[in-house]
Amino acid sequence: MDWSARQYVKFEDERTRPARDLLAGVPTREPRRVVDLGCGPGNTTELLLATFPNAEIIGLDSSPDMITNARARLRSISFEVADLTTWRPDPAAPVDIIYSNAVFQWIAGHDAILPRLVGLLPEGGSLAIQMPDNLEEPSHRAMREVARSGRWATRLAAAERARTPIGSPADYYALLKPHAARVDVWRTTYNHPLDGVGGIVEWFKGSGLRPFLNLLEPSEQDDYLAAYRAAIAPHYPPAPDGKVLLAFPRLFIVATR
């Protein structure tokens, strides 16, 4: 499944805010190398470059479209298409920070992958991860409900399994603490004022809706989105200024060796 960088960056400021909050929780300072694992269109890589100007920054993503846009944005940075589940750094070039913003909710096997990534770090290095934790929010329940109720139900069954369920803070602490000197886990809910229910639809067309829309014909996509919009409308009433608030919980993990 590929992603649309153009759609994703429609809400770049809002999407970058948790990236900044994640970076603020990383205790590793003056790293030699930093890998942006799942760098997307380069917005988080740009943040890493500004924070660590003396470090070698490397951006990796599984989406060719995202890498193309990242290279155009930051021509001085090395960007590569890579399988994020099997990536390993060059043993001759150790990485001090592995940073991953809004990626691992799409990747299964946290029990094996995350301890492995911590194990790739030198002493004092950090693994920093942020994941949306919104599968039970009205925005995402409606995606599944609409998928099950339409003529497309059989085809969209696979889309429901695209997202990986997120564990609790206690789960990730117990998973990573045997491999790290320090594990910091926290959960934050952001409330984004958007331009009506249509703004919510546009937001998730760049992320959560992609697995569903990718399996539909263009005419079916329009019908699915109309049904989705109707399903979420009761849950996001307009404020006096006409905006709606999209509540967006996210889980943050920083494990330091």
Side-chain angles (χ1 to χ4, degrees):
M1 178 176 63
D2 202 4
W3 300 92
S4 169
R6 183 173 65 178
Q7 184 71 33
Y8 188 86
V9 298
K10 283 185 177 181
F11 299 94
E12 180 172 322
D13 288 347
E14 292 88 348
R15 295 188 192 278
T16 304
R17 181 180 171 191
R20 293 191 187 96
D21 292 346
L22 175 62
L23 188 53
V26 176
T28 306
R29 292 291 177 258
E30 299 186 6
R32 294 160 294 178
R33 292 177 190 85
V34 179
V35 167
D36 191 356
L37 200 60
C39 61
N43 57 313
T44 52
T45 319
E46 195 169 58
L47 180 64
L48 292 170
L49 181 61
T51 305
F52 305 117
N54 297 320
E56 178 185 359
I57 311 292
I58 302 162
L60 305 174
D61 204 282
S62 61
S63 165
D65 185 59
M66 290 292 192
I67 289 296
T68 297
N69 280 267
R71 286 172 175 163
R73 179 174 186 151
L74 295 170
R75 299 185 183 278
S76 64
I77 299 298
S78 173
F79 290 101
E80 299 294 337
V81 176
D83 182 344
L84 307 186
T85 65
T86 58
W87 168 83
R88 302 180 70 90
D90 182 344
V95 171
D96 297 304
I97 298 175
I98 301 173
Y99 177 93
S100 185
N101 182 68
V103 174
F104 275 94
Q105 73 275 14
W106 301 111
I107 297 175
H110 292 182
D111 288 357
I113 295 173
L114 300 190
R116 181 182 72 81
L117 290 175
V118 173
L120 298 174
L121 296 163
E123 183 177 350
S126 293
L127 170 67
I129 293 173
Q130 182 273 123
M131 298 179 285
D133 191 9
N134 54 358
L135 280 179
E136 296 309 315
E137 291 295 307
S139 59
H140 282 64
R141 290 200 307 269
M143 293 179 197
R144 301 190 294 271
E145 291 165 1
V146 172
R148 294 168 189 163
S149 64
R151 61 188 183 276
W152 41 64
T154 300
R155 275 177 292 152
L156 294 188
E160 289 198 37
R161 300 189 292 273
R163 276 281 299 269
T164 298
I166 303 301
S168 69
D171 292 333
Y172 288 103
Y173 185 89
L175 174 67
L176 295 176
K177 189 60 178 68
H179 309 276
R182 168 185 168 182
V183 177
D184 192 10
V185 187
W186 71 98
R187 192 175 189 267
T188 299
T189 298
Y190 298 83
N191 288 278
H192 301 292
L194 302 179
D195 292 329
V197 171
I200 296 176
V201 175
E202 285 300 307
W203 178 294
F204 287 117
K205 279 169 66 177
S207 55
L209 285 167
R210 296 293 296 181
F212 299 92
L213 298 179
N214 285 346
L215 296 175
L216 298 174
E217 297 297 327
S219 61
E220 293 177 312
Q221 292 178 8
D222 292 340
D223 292 344
Y224 178 92
L225 290 174
Y228 174 70
R229 180 177 180 134
I232 63 174
H235 302 284
Y236 298 98
D241 64 354
K243 300 283 189 178
V244 299
L245 285 179
L246 173 64
F248 202 129
R250 296 176 181 269
L251 186 71
F252 296 77
I253 306 165
V254 178
T256 303
R257 290 201 75 182

